[in-house]
Amino acid sequence: MRINNATLASATALYISETDNDGNAIAASIALWDDSTTTATRGLVTIRKIGAPATFIQIEVTAALTDNGTWDSFTVAHVASGGTFSNNDPVAVSFERTGNVGATGPAGVTGPTGPAGPTGVTGTTGAVGPTGVTGATGVTGATGATGPNGAVTNTPTASYTLVLGDANKTVEMNVATANNLTVPPNSSVAFPVSTVINVSQIGAGLTTIVAGAGVTIRNRFGLVMGGQYALATLYKRATDEWVAGGDLAS
């Protein structure tokens, strides 16, 4: 994988192999990155250096994929970045798909017809005065708002720390070995109070929910996912206080 500019903020293209570092074919997964019908911003790619999470880049996919045989390329726009990558750095890559364009809401009701004008007075010569003009038809009501986009699922393939973009979405931990999902302190990632995040263990590796510095996670039975396909929910009830529930054990 590489980008087309050593200055991360100036990146405009992303190039990625159709085979991962373990020799697995990933072309079918990459082909989904441009499928959103929100064509201007089809999704968010996050590339983070393994072992140095402060070194990262987030870029938006803004056009359709170009298949170059054994590798693919995308037109991208820089969103955020930090640190500096070096050649052959091991990285973790995640993709958040933009929801499809919502359906147009129904048209508003037609306004009422205005009242008829008064009949003119009778002339002095006995002639009947003209009938008043009919009032104008009321304006048509405004079109209803467009419905919201669907939620995006984030699928990390290694231990992962929640980011603001995960709020009110589902994080699918697709890791083959034991791993951690860390809830960061409010000072690092200021999730709004009442934020809800679903966590699903898709991979075989057992996922443990870990509290970041100063964070308290209330729970009844523990913070270890029950196994592959287990589902749990995190709910933020105060600045650095969360409640965890679902298929969890100690």
Side-chain angles (χ1 to χ4, degrees):
M1 167 178 289
R2 68 182 181 90
I3 56 177
N4 69 331
N5 201 305
T7 302
L8 299 181
S10 299
T12 58
L14 171 67
Y15 312 98
I16 183 167
S17 172
E18 294 183 350
T19 305
D20 69 13
N21 198 45
D22 295 322
N24 298 310
I26 57 174
S29 296
I30 297 172
L32 301 175
W33 290 9
D34 64 351
D35 284 359
S36 174
T37 60
T38 304
T39 55
T41 304
R42 304 179 186 218
L44 179 70
V45 178
T46 300
I47 305 170
R48 196 175 298 275
K49 183 176 178 178
I50 295 174
T55 299
F56 75 100
I57 181 171
Q58 288 186 312
I59 46 181
E60 292 179 333
V61 176
T62 59
L65 167 153
T66 299
D67 188 341
N68 301 287
T70 60
W71 55 279
D72 300 327
S73 59
F74 295 89
T75 299
V76 298
H78 176 268
V79 176
S81 59
T84 302
F85 290 97
S86 299
N87 287 340
N88 299 319
D89 277 345
V91 295
V93 182
S94 63
F95 176 73
E96 300 173 46
R97 183 182 186 273
T98 301
N100 289 335
V101 177
T104 302
V109 298
T110 302
T113 302
T119 302
V121 297
T122 303
T124 57
T125 60
V128 177
T131 301
V133 296
T134 301
T137 301
V139 296
T140 301
T143 301
T146 301
N149 290 337
V152 176
T153 299
N154 184 7
T155 308
T157 56
S159 290
Y160 180 69
T161 298
L162 294 174
V163 298
L164 197 58
D166 296 323
N168 303 312
K169 298 176 183 175
T170 298
V171 176
E172 292 185 340
M173 299 299 294
N174 190 9
V175 189
T177 58
N179 59 92
N180 294 333
L181 182 139
T182 301
V183 179
N186 192 75
S187 59
S188 298
V189 182
F191 289 106
V193 173
S194 297
T195 292
V196 174
I197 301 174
N198 291 320
V199 181
S200 176
Q201 181 186 314
I202 298 302
L206 204 59
T207 296
T208 300
I209 299 174
V210 177
V215 176
T216 299
I217 304 177
R218 311 290 186 188
N219 63 91
R220 291 192 63 197
F221 304 112
L223 293 174
V224 181
M225 301 291 287
Q228 191 170 22
Y229 306 119
L231 179 66
T233 299
L234 288 166
Y235 161 67
K236 184 172 184 178
R237 68 181 304 272
T239 300
D240 274 313
E241 182 179 357
W242 294 72
V243 177
D247 192 352
L248 294 168
S250 60

